[in-house]
Amino acid sequence: MSDAETARHAGETDPFGRQAQEINRERLISSEADRAEMAGAAAHLAEHGYAVLPDMLDAEGLEAARTALDPINEANRWGVYEFEGKRTKRVYSLLSLSRDFDFMAADRRMIALIESRFGESPVISAAQGMTLHGGQSAQPLHRDDGHYAAPRPRPPFVVSCIWALDDFTADNGATMYVPGSHTGPGDTPPTTPPSQAIVPAGSVFVYDGALWHGGGEARGDSRRRAVNMIYCRPWLRQQENWTVTTPPEEAKHLPKIMQRLFGYWIYGFTLNTAFGTAPLKAHEMLKART
Ligand SMILES: O=C(O)CCC(=O)C(=O)O
């Protein structure tokens, strides 16, 4: 047996073995070809802290996403806190409310880009609809990886992907961001005036979780619909708790990629285990006991 075969065999038979751990850690969801396709965007993201991916949704995809989001927005409350935005319809845990957004979360190009950035597979940290209406003031600049108290500089922890469902303009709240600020130390926002992500509907504005950014000011009778898919490293606690909103009984019917993004997966060899096995298997064991 070659070294690679031995290692692969070990990966299948001894999950506690060193080789198995290495293999698991290096196993990516995306193909090499997809990562090659996203190499330019990955380099821009690494250097400047953001990348714009145009034409990620065609007219049909855009219409489908809008049609799915509109009734959810309609039934949703306005933001209560300044950060949520009082003229914003923010939909939390979007991937647990509808299956219509799975295709964005699991998009092969996005996964390839994020795996290029992390060097390992991500989980979904948060998935939120963010629809700004005229009268919404600019959001305070912040970092999406601010939850994690590890010192900076540090490796990338989070990548956020804002899918624009309307044209993002200077007047309807296009995301503000400070290019290059993802490498800055400390927790004080930079004083450099922010740029704005003026991008057409169907684009994705991707940014490193350490990039200072915030929703822009929305004026007049504008409406800016967007969905933010936020990914994090698989060994970090996710921002939204998917095991509560998409519990095992539902998750077991989902495609493997969604189970994996929600975090129903073992990382390395024992992180996130239950009864010493994978969470969904443990759930079946639990049911068999009752
Ligand atoms: O709406 C946007 O453009 C950005 C929103 C944002 O950064 C947030 O709510 O964390």
Side-chain angles (χ1 to χ4, degrees):
M1 238 192 260
S2 69
D3 280 357
E5 278 167 337
T6 309
R8 201 158 303 284
H9 186 66
E12 282 158 11
T13 56
D14 175 13
F16 301 98
R18 185 181 56 79
Q19 287 172 314
Q21 291 174 46
E22 277 167 20
I23 287 169
N24 278 337
R25 206 162 284 133
E26 285 163 14
R27 197 173 281 154
L28 300 180
I29 301 167
S30 62
S31 68
E32 225 173 292
D34 286 345
R35 290 195 296 282
E37 183 184 331
M38 303 311 288
H44 201 279
L45 177 61
E47 185 177 349
H48 302 287
Y50 73 96
V52 176
L53 309 180
D55 301 323
M56 291 290 283
L57 289 174
D58 59 16
E60 204 182 318
L62 204 47
E63 200 40 45
R66 288 169 174 164
T67 305
L69 187 61
D70 286 349
I72 299 176
N73 273 338
E74 196 62 38
N76 195 20
R77 63 166 173 79
W78 292 103
V80 173
Y81 310 104
E82 189 198 356
F83 187 86
E84 282 183 311
K86 296 187 178 176
R87 288 285 296 156
T88 293
K89 290 283 179 105
R90 180 181 294 259
V91 183
Y92 293 105
S93 309
L94 185 62
L95 291 169
S96 297
L97 295 177
S98 162
R99 296 268 62 85
D100 289 330
F101 303 94
D102 288 5
F103 79 100
M104 293 181 182
D107 184 278
R108 65 170 181 87
R109 297 157 297 184
M110 301 310 307
I111 299 290
L113 175 56
I114 288 148
E115 289 190 335
S116 302
R117 184 81 182 121
F118 288 164
E120 61 182 344
S121 298
V123 288
I124 276 280
S125 181
Q128 298 181 0
M130 295 176 176
T131 300
L132 274 54
H133 289 251
Q136 174 59 58
S137 51
Q139 194 183 38
L141 292 180
H142 60 280
R143 283 171 151 164
D144 285 350
D145 72 357
H147 318 281
Y148 306 113
R152 301 178 196 271
R154 61 194 194 190
F157 280 7
V158 170
V159 174
S160 300
C161 306
I162 299 188
W163 293 70
L165 303 190
D166 290 303
D167 291 342
F168 275 28
T169 70
D171 287 329
N172 74 358
T175 310
M176 306 176 296
Y177 64 99
V178 181
S181 59
H182 60 309
T183 55
D187 286 322
T188 322
T191 49
T192 324
S195 306
Q196 261 191 304
I198 310 288
V199 298
S203 313
V204 182
F205 177 65
V206 182
Y207 56 97
D208 191 291
L211 191 82
W212 288 94
H213 72 284
E217 180 185 350
R219 302 182 193 98
D221 61 357
S222 63
R223 179 177 62 161
R224 191 221 70 178
R225 288 167 291 188
V227 169
N228 198 355
M229 295 289 175
I230 304 180
Y231 303 80
C232 69
R233 297 269 196 170
W235 36 265
L236 286 170
R237 175 174 288 206
Q238 290 143 281
Q239 185 179 324
E240 295 187 312
N241 187 324
W242 299 107
T243 58
V244 168
T245 54
T246 302
E249 211 49 58
E250 281 177 44
K252 72 181 183 191
H253 302 295
L254 297 179
K256 286 248 170 329
I257 175 89
M258 291 309 298
Q259 295 176 351
R260 189 163 175 164
L261 288 172
F262 280 145
Y264 283 104
W265 216 257
I266 300 176
Y267 175 76
F269 64 116
T270 56
L271 196 61
N272 203 36
T273 50
F275 296 141
T277 187
L280 290 178
K281 278 192 199 155
H283 174 67
E284 292 305 315
M285 287 162 67
L286 202 55
K287 275 199 342 194
R289 278 191 351 190
T290 52

